[in-house]
Amino acid sequence: MGAPSSPRETGSHAPRPLLLLVCEPGSLAASVRSGDRDVRTWAPDDAAASADSFGGDPTDPAAFEWTRAARGVTAIFDLQPAERARQALTALRRVRPDAAVLLLSGDVAELDQPRDGTLARHGRLRDVLRLDLDEELDRLEAERRAYCLREFARGDAVVPILIHPDPDPDAMSAALAVATLLGGKPDRTPIVTTEDMTRPENVRMAELLRLRVTRVTKAELRRFDRLITVDTQPRDLQLDGRPRLAVIDHHPPEQGYTAEFADIRPWYGATATMLTEYLRAVDPDAVYPGLATALLYGIKTDTDSLIRAVSPADVAAYAFLQERADLRLVRRFERPSYALDSVRLFGRTLAGAECHGDLCVAWVGDLDEDDGHVLADLADFCLGIENVTWAAVAAVVDGELVVTLRHAGGGPGAGGLARALANGGGSGGGHSSMGRAVLSEDRARAVLHGDQPLGALQRMLRDAMTTADDAASRPESPRARPA
Ligand SMILES: [Mn+2]
């Protein structure tokens, strides 16, 4: 008998994870339904074969070979005797070490491996059908992920946790959660980044939570044997498969690396949500108030207070964290504390901003590298101007021309425009609503050679918008780091 049909697509999301039912004939397997998973039932004889079933000897890994490419695999085994169930468990894990497994075999004492994503339950399938199966399996899957991540980290004395440059609250809180999950020893699991934080509220959050984020170079990162990347995927880092990687992220999957452990869920609003699930599954008490506060703030900022790109999982994690978080501390993170010089710079820049139709362009002039966040704040503000759906704020930082973009609307948007701007020399990327382009020193000089930087910027942006529209029908190039 051949392999069953591949999991079907659900909307714009990735294929759904699989739920395998490996039960003795005559059980109630056919009556199992799952809201979140595609169910595939083991049918030992060809007569029962269908698109939703699979055959083969379940104690032989070959029977599970077809699940190798599935997004996620969870299994329920109800086989007699217990020894046979154990062999089936081993066979499945040979192909999918990440699979969570619920064992229903009668004599289970020797099968029970607490906290590794294997749950042995007394009873038979009909007993389990009375439970909220999806909830139970969700927890089991999170437990298995946590177990696999811990196994990965056991491989070395020091395993750094890498977050993206200029880290945001989602990245920092998720990294803190990973460190906590792995024992909470900063010397063993230091949190590292390649570029320091610039936004004042992020710096304040790190200070108030006494979070230590160490700046490292790419060369230093490559000296480690193992790395865990959180809220980011490691482009241009691995050489010949080194360092070995575990990747936890909610951005779309990227190419250019191989990971030994990968948990990538782009339909989640925040990586903090994913880590909240890990901790809830293995040790809810490990979510101490400071960590709960950080994770809640991470979800809040990445989802714009649960109104942007939010999933039911984000809402559930938020509700769990709210009971444990210090909400007064969150309000202290959010209270702005701008330097007086920055405020005067805001005033000068806004006074000179020009709006034509739906585009607002503002020119800051020379800007200190540490004040990079000023561009994002100004761009956010300019997008709030009447009739404006595109905002661009530019400055010269360290000789390079940095353009921060905002867009209200869909399509490739700000990220697409940033990529189009970068086409003539530089780097650019971002989401539909936020983008950022950095143009090389030569390019900056060529664009700004006159004494009318605003006019030059407007022309460059209009040209790039035309190119971006043309490119919109082509497949998207790999994303740059989050804006
Ligand atoms: Mn994030």
Side-chain angles (χ1 to χ4, degrees), residues 311-334:
S311 72
D314 297 302
V315 179
Y318 195 93
F320 169 82
L321 295 167
Q322 203 169 22
E323 309 228 299
R324 291 161 176 80
D326 180 349
L327 298 177
R328 277 175 322 172
L329 203 54
V330 171
R331 281 192 284 280
R332 282 178 67 193
F333 298 160
E334 289 179 323

Side-chain angles (χ1 to χ4, degrees), residues 164 168 170-171 231 249-251 269-272 298 302 482:
H164 50 74
D168 59 22
D170 184 35
D231 199 36
D249 191 19
H250 73 125
H251 294 98
T271 305
D302 258 32

